[in-house]
Amino acid sequence: MGLGLPDRDPRDGPAARVGPFLLPEHRDPSGERIDLTSAVLSLAAMLTLVYGVKHVAVGDLSAPSIGVLTVGLALGWAFIARQTRLRAPLLDLGLFRRPGFSGALVVNLAGFFLAFGTLLFLAQHLQLVLGMGTFEAGLWTLFSAAGFVAGSLLAPSLLRWIPPSSVMASSLAVAAAGFALLAASLWWGSFASLMAATFLFSIGLAPVFALSADLIVGAAPESKAGSAAAIAETSSELGGALGIALLGSVVAAVYRSRVPALLPDAATNTAPALQDGISNAFAQLATFPAQQAEVIRAAIVQAYVDSFATVAVLSALIALAVALAAGSLRRAATD
């Protein structure tokens, strides 16, 4: 390429000649085409459900919000009903009759639910409450990244002596302790314990991600391994999306309820303008005199801290509940 040498196609290399013998292509002779109607139904159901939940959570009980939520539920029911009639369903509901499969799937979904939601609010807390720039906030999230790496490396070693279900249950208990410490750190205002909490819940969730996919695929029949793997990946994405949507709705609801209670009496009439999220509230501070703005800012920050801490407590309770479910996976697998 520009040096007088002939261009070389990488497909002509040794790997291209040896690969087909070592990794022959496999096609399912009975494979069916994807059902586009099911795909559209699933997407429409999730979008309308998330939209409806987020609006209802912030107190919007108007007819359009309730209507969209109802439509989402109806679309979800239609999607499930259609899967029971298809010869090659987009979602094989028969796999959910296996207790080991269903249990591992719930654990995997819950793990991503907790991780995505909490880490989003952590980033907002670092930047909006503590006033960090994006780069500095990103550096402090390395504590969480280190926890995920350490937990992922630790999980295979634990499997030498402990069954996978017990590893996941114990890890979720550690994550629950991390979320509880996170809530306490927010109320204490301790940055050091906040970072310790992010490391603790991350090292607790990492084995869940590392092991649940294997348990999901292993619980399915060999002929359904591909479908099980696809469902496992879908549960990860769905769990993350639901974590942001539902936990975000909790944060919004608690924040809206706390702002009026924390504002000084002289500023209570400004509450409606400050309840639409902490970012918008900060933008409104420029319209107030400097001294009053500082008092209002403290109220806004405390309202957000309370809402984030509430989600942390809720996450700890969810992690404990899922830990109990994970502990039952071994019994389910032997039934």
Side-chain angles (χ1 to χ4, degrees), residues 19-64:
F21 296 99
L22 298 179
L23 302 169
E25 182 179 5
H26 173 72
R27 292 179 181 271
D28 185 359
S30 62
E32 301 282 349
R33 297 185 63 180
I34 186 172
D35 181 49
L36 293 179
T37 302
S38 295
V40 172
L41 280 174
S42 64
L43 180 61
M46 288 308 305
L47 289 175
T48 50
L49 280 172
V50 169
Y51 179 91
V53 167
K54 289 182 70 67
H55 278 257
V56 170
V58 296
D60 181 6
L61 300 179
S62 62

mmCIF file of all heavy atoms in Angstrom, residues 19-64:
data_model
loop_
_atom_site.group_PDB
_atom_site.id
_atom_site.type_symbol
_atom_site.label_atom_id
_atom_site.label_comp_id
_atom_site.label_asym_id
_atom_site.label_seq_id
_atom_site.Cartn_x
_atom_site.Cartn_y
_atom_site.Cartn_z
ATOM 1 N N GLY A 19 -9.306 -22.179 10.257
ATOM 2 C CA GLY A 19 -10.504 -21.863 11.016
ATOM 3 C C GLY A 19 -11.722 -22.705 10.678
ATOM 4 O O GLY A 19 -12.378 -23.238 11.578
ATOM 5 N N PRO A 20 -12.069 -22.854 9.392
ATOM 6 C CA PRO A 20 -13.273 -23.630 9.070
ATOM 7 C C PRO A 20 -13.234 -25.066 9.571
ATOM 8 O O PRO A 20 -14.289 -25.663 9.798
ATOM 9 C CB PRO A 20 -13.302 -23.576 7.538
ATOM 10 C CG PRO A 20 -12.581 -22.316 7.193
ATOM 11 C CD PRO A 20 -11.498 -22.201 8.206
ATOM 12 N N PHE A 21 -12.034 -25.635 9.730
ATOM 13 C CA PHE A 21 -11.947 -27.013 10.224
ATOM 14 C C PHE A 21 -12.099 -27.065 11.748
ATOM 15 O O PHE A 21 -12.677 -28.005 12.285
ATOM 16 C CB PHE A 21 -10.606 -27.632 9.809
ATOM 17 C CG PHE A 21 -10.460 -27.771 8.320
ATOM 18 C CD1 PHE A 21 -9.738 -26.833 7.595
ATOM 19 C CD2 PHE A 21 -11.058 -28.821 7.644
ATOM 20 C CE1 PHE A 21 -9.617 -26.935 6.224
ATOM 21 C CE2 PHE A 21 -10.929 -28.937 6.269
ATOM 22 C CZ PHE A 21 -10.209 -27.993 5.544
ATOM 23 N N LEU A 22 -11.535 -26.060 12.435
ATOM 24 C CA LEU A 22 -11.617 -26.045 13.896
ATOM 25 C C LEU A 22 -12.944 -25.492 14.393
ATOM 26 O O LEU A 22 -13.458 -25.934 15.429
ATOM 27 C CB LEU A 22 -10.464 -25.202 14.475
ATOM 28 C CG LEU A 22 -9.050 -25.711 14.186
ATOM 29 C CD1 LEU A 22 -8.026 -24.762 14.796
ATOM 30 C CD2 LEU A 22 -8.866 -27.126 14.732
ATOM 31 N N LEU A 23 -13.490 -24.513 13.658
ATOM 32 C CA LEU A 23 -14.741 -23.864 14.070
ATOM 33 C C LEU A 23 -15.727 -23.885 12.904
ATOM 34 O O LEU A 23 -16.004 -22.856 12.280
ATOM 35 C CB LEU A 23 -14.474 -22.416 14.504
ATOM 36 C CG LEU A 23 -13.484 -22.218 15.650
ATOM 37 C CD1 LEU A 23 -13.121 -20.755 15.795
ATOM 38 C CD2 LEU A 23 -14.084 -22.740 16.952
ATOM 39 N N PRO A 24 -16.235 -25.051 12.554
ATOM 40 C CA PRO A 24 -17.162 -25.123 11.413
ATOM 41 C C PRO A 24 -18.443 -24.339 11.689
ATOM 42 O O PRO A 24 -18.905 -24.257 12.821
ATOM 43 C CB PRO A 24 -17.455 -26.621 11.300
ATOM 44 C CG PRO A 24 -17.188 -27.161 12.670
ATOM 45 C CD PRO A 24 -16.055 -26.345 13.214
ATOM 46 N N GLU A 25 -18.968 -23.727 10.641
ATOM 47 C CA GLU A 25 -20.203 -22.958 10.775
ATOM 48 C C GLU A 25 -21.357 -23.902 11.073
ATOM 49 O O GLU A 25 -21.443 -25.009 10.524
ATOM 50 C CB GLU A 25 -20.474 -22.190 9.487
ATOM 51 C CG GLU A 25 -21.711 -21.318 9.556
ATOM 52 C CD GLU A 25 -21.942 -20.546 8.269
ATOM 53 O OE1 GLU A 25 -21.198 -20.763 7.310
ATOM 54 O OE2 GLU A 25 -22.886 -19.734 8.248
ATOM 55 N N HIS A 26 -22.217 -23.457 11.963
ATOM 56 C CA HIS A 26 -23.378 -24.278 12.319
ATOM 57 C C HIS A 26 -24.641 -23.485 12.102
ATOM 58 O O HIS A 26 -24.749 -22.340 12.525
ATOM 59 C CB HIS A 26 -23.310 -24.708 13.792
ATOM 60 C CG HIS A 26 -24.558 -25.400 14.259
ATOM 61 N ND1 HIS A 26 -24.882 -26.671 13.863
ATOM 62 C CD2 HIS A 26 -25.563 -24.972 15.070
ATOM 63 C CE1 HIS A 26 -26.046 -27.016 14.415
ATOM 64 N NE2 HIS A 26 -26.477 -25.995 15.148
ATOM 65 N N ARG A 27 -25.566 -24.061 11.409
ATOM 66 C CA ARG A 27 -26.873 -23.459 11.200
ATOM 67 C C ARG A 27 -27.951 -24.432 11.661
ATOM 68 O O ARG A 27 -27.845 -25.635 11.435
ATOM 69 C CB ARG A 27 -27.099 -23.119 9.721
ATOM 70 C CG ARG A 27 -26.215 -21.995 9.203
ATOM 71 C CD ARG A 27 -26.494 -21.742 7.740
ATOM 72 N NE ARG A 27 -25.655 -20.698 7.198
ATOM 73 C CZ ARG A 27 -25.971 -19.402 7.204
ATOM 74 N NH1 ARG A 27 -27.124 -19.021 7.727
ATOM 75 N NH2 ARG A 27 -25.157 -18.503 6.708
ATOM 76 N N ASP A 28 -28.940 -23.875 12.312
ATOM 77 C CA ASP A 28 -30.066 -24.691 12.763
ATOM 78 C C ASP A 28 -30.965 -24.972 11.570
ATOM 79 O O ASP A 28 -31.576 -24.053 11.012
ATOM 80 C CB ASP A 28 -30.846 -23.944 13.847
ATOM 81 C CG ASP A 28 -31.961 -24.795 14.432
ATOM 82 O OD1 ASP A 28 -32.127 -25.943 13.980
ATOM 83 O OD2 ASP A 28 -32.663 -24.312 15.341
ATOM 84 N N PRO A 29 -31.033 -26.233 11.119
ATOM 85 C CA PRO A 29 -31.850 -26.538 9.932
ATOM 86 C C PRO A 29 -33.326 -26.239 10.132
ATOM 87 O O PRO A 29 -34.060 -26.033 9.174
ATOM 88 C CB PRO A 29 -31.617 -28.036 9.719
ATOM 89 C CG PRO A 29 -31.182 -28.552 11.055
ATOM 90 C CD PRO A 29 -30.413 -27.429 11.685
ATOM 91 N N SER A 30 -33.756 -26.213 11.395
ATOM 92 C CA SER A 30 -35.169 -25.945 11.673
ATOM 93 C C SER A 30 -35.401 -24.497 12.086
ATOM 94 O O SER A 30 -36.451 -24.158 12.617
ATOM 95 C CB SER A 30 -35.678 -26.868 12.787
ATOM 96 O OG SER A 30 -34.959 -26.637 13.995
ATOM 97 N N GLY A 31 -34.385 -23.653 11.878
ATOM 98 C CA GLY A 31 -34.490 -22.265 12.310
ATOM 99 C C GLY A 31 -35.619 -21.521 11.612
ATOM 100 O O GLY A 31 -35.894 -21.731 10.430
ATOM 101 N N GLU A 32 -36.271 -20.656 12.358
ATOM 102 C CA GLU A 32 -37.391 -19.881 11.835
ATOM 103 C C GLU A 32 -36.993 -18.409 11.750
ATOM 104 O O GLU A 32 -36.093 -17.954 12.441
ATOM 105 C CB GLU A 32 -38.606 -20.032 12.757
ATOM 106 C CG GLU A 32 -39.086 -21.458 12.938
ATOM 107 C CD GLU A 32 -39.902 -21.951 11.763
ATOM 108 O OE1 GLU A 32 -40.269 -21.107 10.915
ATOM 109 O OE2 GLU A 32 -40.164 -23.160 11.685
ATOM 110 N N ARG A 33 -37.685 -17.684 10.886
ATOM 111 C CA ARG A 33 -37.435 -16.256 10.768
ATOM 112 C C ARG A 33 -37.974 -15.536 12.002
ATOM 113 O O ARG A 33 -38.947 -15.971 12.632
ATOM 114 C CB ARG A 33 -38.103 -15.702 9.515
ATOM 115 C CG ARG A 33 -37.552 -16.292 8.227
ATOM 116 C CD ARG A 33 -38.169 -15.626 7.017
ATOM 117 N NE ARG A 33 -37.833 -14.214 6.968
ATOM 118 C CZ ARG A 33 -38.248 -13.379 5.999
ATOM 119 N NH1 ARG A 33 -39.007 -13.843 5.023
ATOM 120 N NH2 ARG A 33 -37.907 -12.110 6.026
ATOM 121 N N ILE A 34 -37.337 -14.443 12.340
ATOM 122 C CA ILE A 34 -37.760 -13.676 13.510
ATOM 123 C C ILE A 34 -39.163 -13.110 13.287
ATOM 124 O O ILE A 34 -39.522 -12.713 12.171
ATOM 125 C CB ILE A 34 -36.752 -12.534 13.805
ATOM 126 C CG1 ILE A 34 -37.120 -11.837 15.115
ATOM 127 C CG2 ILE A 34 -36.722 -11.540 12.659
ATOM 128 C CD1 ILE A 34 -36.067 -10.836 15.559
ATOM 129 N N ASP A 35 -39.947 -13.113 14.334
ATOM 130 C CA ASP A 35 -41.307 -12.587 14.260
ATOM 131 C C ASP A 35 -41.256 -11.084 14.514
ATOM 132 O O ASP A 35 -41.106 -10.628 15.659
ATOM 133 C CB ASP A 35 -42.193 -13.285 15.292
ATOM 134 C CG ASP A 35 -43.623 -12.794 15.231
ATOM 135 O OD1 ASP A 35 -44.180 -12.751 14.118
ATOM 136 O OD2 ASP A 35 -44.175 -12.425 16.289
ATOM 137 N N LEU A 36 -41.384 -10.315 13.455
ATOM 138 C CA LEU A 36 -41.257 -8.857 13.568
ATOM 139 C C LEU A 36 -42.384 -8.257 14.405
ATOM 140 O O LEU A 36 -42.178 -7.255 15.104
ATOM 141 C CB LEU A 36 -41.237 -8.234 12.172
ATOM 142 C CG LEU A 36 -40.019 -8.562 11.309
ATOM 143 C CD1 LEU A 36 -40.134 -7.903 9.947
ATOM 144 C CD2 LEU A 36 -38.741 -8.122 12.010
ATOM 145 N N THR A 37 -43.550 -8.855 14.364
ATOM 146 C CA THR A 37 -44.659 -8.344 15.171
ATOM 147 C C THR A 37 -44.335 -8.423 16.656
ATOM 148 O O THR A 37 -44.600 -7.496 17.426
ATOM 149 C CB THR A 37 -45.943 -9.129 14.873
ATOM 150 O OG1 THR A 37 -46.250 -9.035 13.480
ATOM 151 C CG2 THR A 37 -47.116 -8.586 15.684
ATOM 152 N N SER A 38 -43.724 -9.532 17.068
ATOM 153 C CA SER A 38 -43.330 -9.675 18.471
ATOM 154 C C SER A 38 -42.285 -8.634 18.852
ATOM 155 O O SER A 38 -42.332 -8.072 19.944
ATOM 156 C CB SER A 38 -42.774 -11.086 18.723
ATOM 157 O OG SER A 38 -43.770 -12.063 18.553
ATOM 158 N N ALA A 39 -41.341 -8.390 17.946
ATOM 159 C CA ALA A 39 -40.299 -7.406 18.220
ATOM 160 C C ALA A 39 -40.904 -6.018 18.410
ATOM 161 O O ALA A 39 -40.533 -5.282 19.332
ATOM 162 C CB ALA A 39 -39.274 -7.394 17.092
ATOM 163 N N VAL A 40 -41.852 -5.657 17.542
ATOM 164 C CA VAL A 40 -42.495 -4.345 17.648
ATOM 165 C C VAL A 40 -43.310 -4.253 18.935
ATOM 166 O O VAL A 40 -43.295 -3.227 19.638
ATOM 167 C CB VAL A 40 -43.383 -4.089 16.417
ATOM 168 C CG1 VAL A 40 -44.214 -2.822 16.607
ATOM 169 C CG2 VAL A 40 -42.531 -3.971 15.162
ATOM 170 N N LEU A 41 -44.025 -5.335 19.280
ATOM 171 C CA LEU A 41 -44.833 -5.335 20.501
ATOM 172 C C LEU A 41 -43.963 -5.164 21.746
ATOM 173 O O LEU A 41 -44.305 -4.402 22.659
ATOM 174 C CB LEU A 41 -45.627 -6.640 20.600
ATOM 175 C CG LEU A 41 -46.915 -6.743 19.781
ATOM 176 C CD1 LEU A 41 -47.489 -8.149 19.885
ATOM 177 C CD2 LEU A 41 -47.944 -5.721 20.258
ATOM 178 N N SER A 42 -42.833 -5.882 21.789
ATOM 179 C CA SER A 42 -41.962 -5.795 22.968
ATOM 180 C C SER A 42 -41.381 -4.402 23.121
ATOM 181 O O SER A 42 -41.325 -3.844 24.230
ATOM 182 C CB SER A 42 -40.837 -6.833 22.877
ATOM 183 O OG SER A 42 -39.981 -6.561 21.775
ATOM 184 N N LEU A 43 -40.940 -3.810 22.012
ATOM 185 C CA LEU A 43 -40.367 -2.464 22.067
ATOM 186 C C LEU A 43 -41.422 -1.433 22.475
ATOM 187 O O LEU A 43 -41.182 -0.581 23.348
ATOM 188 C CB LEU A 43 -39.778 -2.098 20.703
ATOM 189 C CG LEU A 43 -39.129 -0.714 20.582
ATOM 190 C CD1 LEU A 43 -37.958 -0.594 21.543
ATOM 191 C CD2 LEU A 43 -38.669 -0.461 19.147
ATOM 192 N N ALA A 44 -42.593 -1.524 21.867
ATOM 193 C CA ALA A 44 -43.658 -0.566 22.189
ATOM 194 C C ALA A 44 -44.105 -0.710 23.649
ATOM 195 O O ALA A 44 -44.369 0.290 24.330
ATOM 196 C CB ALA A 44 -44.844 -0.781 21.246
ATOM 197 N N ALA A 45 -44.179 -1.948 24.138
ATOM 198 C CA ALA A 45 -44.594 -2.167 25.529
ATOM 199 C C ALA A 45 -43.606 -1.540 26.501
ATOM 200 O O ALA A 45 -44.000 -0.864 27.458
ATOM 201 C CB ALA A 45 -44.728 -3.666 25.796
ATOM 202 N N MET A 46 -42.308 -1.744 26.280
ATOM 203 C CA MET A 46 -41.312 -1.200 27.194
ATOM 204 C C MET A 46 -41.282 0.318 27.158
ATOM 205 O O MET A 46 -41.201 0.975 28.209
ATOM 206 C CB MET A 46 -39.928 -1.752 26.850
ATOM 207 C CG MET A 46 -39.736 -3.218 27.210
ATOM 208 S SD MET A 46 -40.186 -3.580 28.932
ATOM 209 C CE MET A 46 -39.154 -2.416 29.800
ATOM 210 N N LEU A 47 -41.362 0.904 25.978
ATOM 211 C CA LEU A 47 -41.310 2.366 25.875
ATOM 212 C C LEU A 47 -42.507 3.010 26.567
ATOM 213 O O LEU A 47 -42.358 3.993 27.312
ATOM 214 C CB LEU A 47 -41.265 2.784 24.401
ATOM 215 C CG LEU A 47 -39.959 2.486 23.656
ATOM 216 C CD1 LEU A 47 -40.092 2.844 22.178
ATOM 217 C CD2 LEU A 47 -38.793 3.242 24.268
ATOM 218 N N THR A 48 -43.693 2.476 26.335
ATOM 219 C CA THR A 48 -44.878 3.069 26.951
ATOM 220 C C THR A 48 -44.910 2.819 28.459
ATOM 221 O O THR A 48 -45.337 3.693 29.222
ATOM 222 C CB THR A 48 -46.149 2.505 26.299
ATOM 223 O OG1 THR A 48 -46.074 1.065 26.258
ATOM 224 C CG2 THR A 48 -46.315 3.020 24.879
ATOM 225 N N LEU A 49 -44.467 1.647 28.907
ATOM 226 C CA LEU A 49 -44.448 1.372 30.339
ATOM 227 C C LEU A 49 -43.492 2.307 31.072
ATOM 228 O O LEU A 49 -43.826 2.873 32.116
ATOM 229 C CB LEU A 49 -44.058 -0.086 30.594
ATOM 230 C CG LEU A 49 -45.159 -1.130 30.421
ATOM 231 C CD1 LEU A 49 -44.581 -2.537 30.522
ATOM 232 C CD2 LEU A 49 -46.258 -0.932 31.454
ATOM 233 N N VAL A 50 -42.289 2.465 30.521
ATOM 234 C CA VAL A 50 -41.300 3.344 31.159
ATOM 235 C C VAL A 50 -41.795 4.788 31.169
ATOM 236 O O VAL A 50 -41.684 5.499 32.180
ATOM 237 C CB VAL A 50 -39.940 3.229 30.442
ATOM 238 C CG1 VAL A 50 -38.989 4.328 30.910
ATOM 239 C CG2 VAL A 50 -39.318 1.859 30.701
ATOM 240 N N TYR A 51 -42.366 5.217 30.067
ATOM 241 C CA TYR A 51 -42.912 6.588 30.001
ATOM 242 C C TYR A 51 -43.999 6.779 31.053
ATOM 243 O O TYR A 51 -44.010 7.776 31.793
ATOM 244 C CB TYR A 51 -43.467 6.846 28.599
ATOM 245 C CG TYR A 51 -44.080 8.214 28.424
ATOM 246 C CD1 TYR A 51 -43.306 9.280 27.974
ATOM 247 C CD2 TYR A 51 -45.431 8.442 28.696
ATOM 248 C CE1 TYR A 51 -43.867 10.548 27.810
ATOM 249 C CE2 TYR A 51 -45.993 9.694 28.538
ATOM 250 C CZ TYR A 51 -45.215 10.747 28.092
ATOM 251 O OH TYR A 51 -45.766 11.994 27.940
ATOM 252 N N GLY A 52 -44.928 5.819 31.128
ATOM 253 C CA GLY A 52 -46.018 5.933 32.082
ATOM 254 C C GLY A 52 -45.543 5.914 33.521
ATOM 255 O O GLY A 52 -45.997 6.724 34.346
ATOM 256 N N VAL A 53 -44.619 5.012 33.846
ATOM 257 C CA VAL A 53 -44.118 4.901 35.218
ATOM 258 C C VAL A 53 -43.410 6.181 35.638
ATOM 259 O O VAL A 53 -43.608 6.687 36.753
ATOM 260 C CB VAL A 53 -43.182 3.687 35.350
ATOM 261 C CG1 VAL A 53 -42.414 3.738 36.668
ATOM 262 C CG2 VAL A 53 -43.980 2.386 35.271
ATOM 263 N N LYS A 54 -42.589 6.730 34.765
ATOM 264 C CA LYS A 54 -41.833 7.933 35.119
ATOM 265 C C LYS A 54 -42.766 9.121 35.352
ATOM 266 O O LYS A 54 -42.522 9.942 36.243
ATOM 267 C CB LYS A 54 -40.802 8.254 34.021
ATOM 268 C CG LYS A 54 -39.639 7.273 33.987
ATOM 269 C CD LYS A 54 -38.634 7.646 32.924
ATOM 270 C CE LYS A 54 -37.887 8.911 33.277
ATOM 271 N NZ LYS A 54 -37.027 8.739 34.445
ATOM 272 N N HIS A 55 -43.825 9.246 34.577
ATOM 273 C CA HIS A 55 -44.744 10.370 34.755
ATOM 274 C C HIS A 55 -45.599 10.192 36.003
ATOM 275 O O HIS A 55 -45.836 11.159 36.741
ATOM 276 C CB HIS A 55 -45.615 10.534 33.515
ATOM 277 C CG HIS A 55 -44.951 11.282 32.418
ATOM 278 N ND1 HIS A 55 -45.232 12.596 32.125
ATOM 279 C CD2 HIS A 55 -43.969 10.922 31.544
ATOM 280 C CE1 HIS A 55 -44.475 13.022 31.131
ATOM 281 N NE2 HIS A 55 -43.700 12.016 30.745
ATOM 282 N N VAL A 56 -46.070 8.976 36.243
ATOM 283 C CA VAL A 56 -46.885 8.730 37.429
ATOM 284 C C VAL A 56 -46.057 8.926 38.693
ATOM 285 O O VAL A 56 -46.547 9.436 39.712
ATOM 286 C CB VAL A 56 -47.487 7.308 37.380
ATOM 287 C CG1 VAL A 56 -48.128 6.941 38.713
ATOM 288 C CG2 VAL A 56 -48.514 7.217 36.261
ATOM 289 N N ALA A 57 -44.770 8.542 38.650
ATOM 290 C CA ALA A 57 -43.911 8.646 39.831
ATOM 291 C C ALA A 57 -43.714 10.084 40.296
ATOM 292 O O ALA A 57 -43.512 10.334 41.487
ATOM 293 C CB ALA A 57 -42.551 8.004 39.547
ATOM 294 N N VAL A 58 -43.762 11.040 39.375
ATOM 295 C CA VAL A 58 -43.577 12.444 39.760
ATOM 296 C C VAL A 58 -44.913 13.134 39.999
ATOM 297 O O VAL A 58 -44.993 14.368 40.037
ATOM 298 C CB VAL A 58 -42.758 13.206 38.691
ATOM 299 C CG1 VAL A 58 -41.366 12.640 38.591
ATOM 300 C CG2 VAL A 58 -43.458 13.177 37.328
ATOM 301 N N GLY A 59 -45.968 12.336 40.166
ATOM 302 C CA GLY A 59 -47.253 12.901 40.528
ATOM 303 C C GLY A 59 -48.143 13.276 39.364
ATOM 304 O O GLY A 59 -49.198 13.895 39.576
ATOM 305 N N ASP A 60 -47.752 12.921 38.154
ATOM 306 C CA ASP A 60 -48.569 13.233 36.986
ATOM 307 C C ASP A 60 -49.621 12.131 36.815
ATOM 308 O O ASP A 60 -49.369 11.099 36.191
ATOM 309 C CB ASP A 60 -47.689 13.341 35.744
ATOM 310 C CG ASP A 60 -48.502 13.695 34.495
ATOM 311 O OD1 ASP A 60 -49.714 13.962 34.627
ATOM 312 O OD2 ASP A 60 -47.925 13.690 33.392
ATOM 313 N N LEU A 61 -50.792 12.336 37.383
ATOM 314 C CA LEU A 61 -51.871 11.346 37.302
ATOM 315 C C LEU A 61 -52.917 11.761 36.281
ATOM 316 O O LEU A 61 -54.098 11.406 36.398
ATOM 317 C CB LEU A 61 -52.518 11.168 38.682
ATOM 318 C CG LEU A 61 -51.577 10.691 39.795
ATOM 319 C CD1 LEU A 61 -52.325 10.577 41.108
ATOM 320 C CD2 LEU A 61 -50.934 9.360 39.423
ATOM 321 N N SER A 62 -52.474 12.490 35.282
ATOM 322 C CA SER A 62 -53.384 12.936 34.235
ATOM 323 C C SER A 62 -53.834 11.752 33.382
ATOM 324 O O SER A 62 -53.220 10.680 33.387
ATOM 325 C CB SER A 62 -52.712 13.988 33.355
ATOM 326 O OG SER A 62 -51.579 13.419 32.705
ATOM 327 N N ALA A 63 -54.905 11.978 32.647
ATOM 328 C CA ALA A 63 -55.441 10.921 31.784
ATOM 329 C C ALA A 63 -54.413 10.430 30.759
ATOM 330 O O ALA A 63 -54.303 9.219 30.533
ATOM 331 C CB ALA A 63 -56.713 11.418 31.088
ATOM 332 N N PRO A 64 -53.624 11.310 30.106
ATOM 333 C CA PRO A 64 -52.630 10.806 29.151
ATOM 334 C C PRO A 64 -51.591 9.884 29.799
ATOM 335 O O PRO A 64 -51.241 8.849 29.228
ATOM 336 C CB PRO A 64 -51.975 12.087 28.611
ATOM 337 C CG PRO A 64 -53.018 13.134 28.779
ATOM 338 C CD PRO A 64 -53.722 12.791 30.049
#
